[in-house]
Amino acid sequence: MADHPTADELARWARTAVRTPGDATLAVDGARPESADDGRVGLSEVEGFPAFRCRAGSGLAAAARAGAGAVLVVRASAALPSGMLVRVSGSLVVAAVEPGVPAAALEVRLVPLRVSVHAGEADAVGTEVPLSAYDRAEPVAADVRTVAAEVLAHSRACHGPDLLAWVVRRHGLAPEDVAAAELSSLDERGAVVSWVDVRGAHRTEVPFREPVGCPHALADALRTALDA
């Protein structure tokens, strides 16, 4: 971390980390560690709010309906100072949905009450970011290639089971026949999902509806393509 970063610099770093995380963990008050990411699809950022998509019947959705507290720890992207961590503490809420419309999936947001930037894992206290600076901050610019690399790394580290389930649904396979699946490539035009089953190795192209021009729209475009 810089010797004396300004509040605005800290806020930009924090917003960028939430928008393009290399890795992220969410701890929900009262939730067992093994169920903390129950039903969670992935992290995105909506106007400064960390946001997760999850099943409507998941433990995360129930925690959000109850207004539970949570702490998000984000490992920063390649665009930020090396080793930086960002902690966002706040309350979970369910994003507005249209009344009367069944929703198999919900968007859960974390309303920030405290944001802090840490030089690394050993920096337990960190430096607090004024919420006013965080709210107005513009994330550090990143290109599509950099963000794609971060999304790939996060997917491989955290979402292998989700992609395996997607392959099973997409291709009508028996779950026990699929050994593993991963996101093997990602760019502005789409992604490739690779998997191994009893017949060998395979890959499926997942094209986007149109090329992604904004790096920060890449994760949303990927989720939309996988949900199609």
Side-chain angles (χ1 to χ4, degrees), residues 40-207:
R40 197 175 76 206
V41 174
L43 170 64
S44 61
E45 189 247 27
V46 181
E47 297 179 350
F49 295 98
F52 301 91
R53 295 177 66 196
C54 62
R55 297 190 306 273
S58 68
L60 181 59
R65 293 188 188 99
V71 178
L72 175 70
V73 179
V74 181
R75 275 75 183 177
S77 73
L80 303 179
S82 176
M84 180 176 293
L85 307 179
V86 172
R87 285 189 172 90
V88 182
S89 305
S91 299
L92 295 172
V93 298
V94 175
V97 295
E98 295 183 24
V101 177
L106 294 177
E107 180 179 281
V108 168
R109 297 181 185 177
L110 178 61
V111 179
L113 298 178
R114 185 180 189 275
V115 178
S116 55
V117 174
H118 303 252
E121 297 284 355
D123 181 12
V125 177
T127 303
E128 186 165 357
V129 179
L131 289 179
S132 58
Y134 180 80
D135 288 342
R136 68 174 180 264
E138 289 294 331
V140 177
D143 59 25
V144 170
R145 181 176 297 181
T146 298
V147 175
E150 296 294 342
V151 173
L152 272 174
H154 175 71
S155 174
R156 288 168 177 168
C158 303
H159 295 295
D162 297 323
L163 285 168
L164 190 151
W166 180 86
V167 166
V168 167
R169 291 193 305 271
R170 175 74 174 263
H171 296 283
L173 303 173
E176 61 271 19
D177 289 343
V178 184
E182 72 169 16
L183 196 66
S184 53
S185 70
L186 176 66
D187 60 24
E188 68 273 13
R189 293 180 175 83
V192 174
V193 176
S194 300
W195 79 96
V196 177
D197 64 13
V198 293
R199 297 172 300 157
H202 313 273
R203 43 189 279 139
T204 295
E205 293 186 358
V206 185

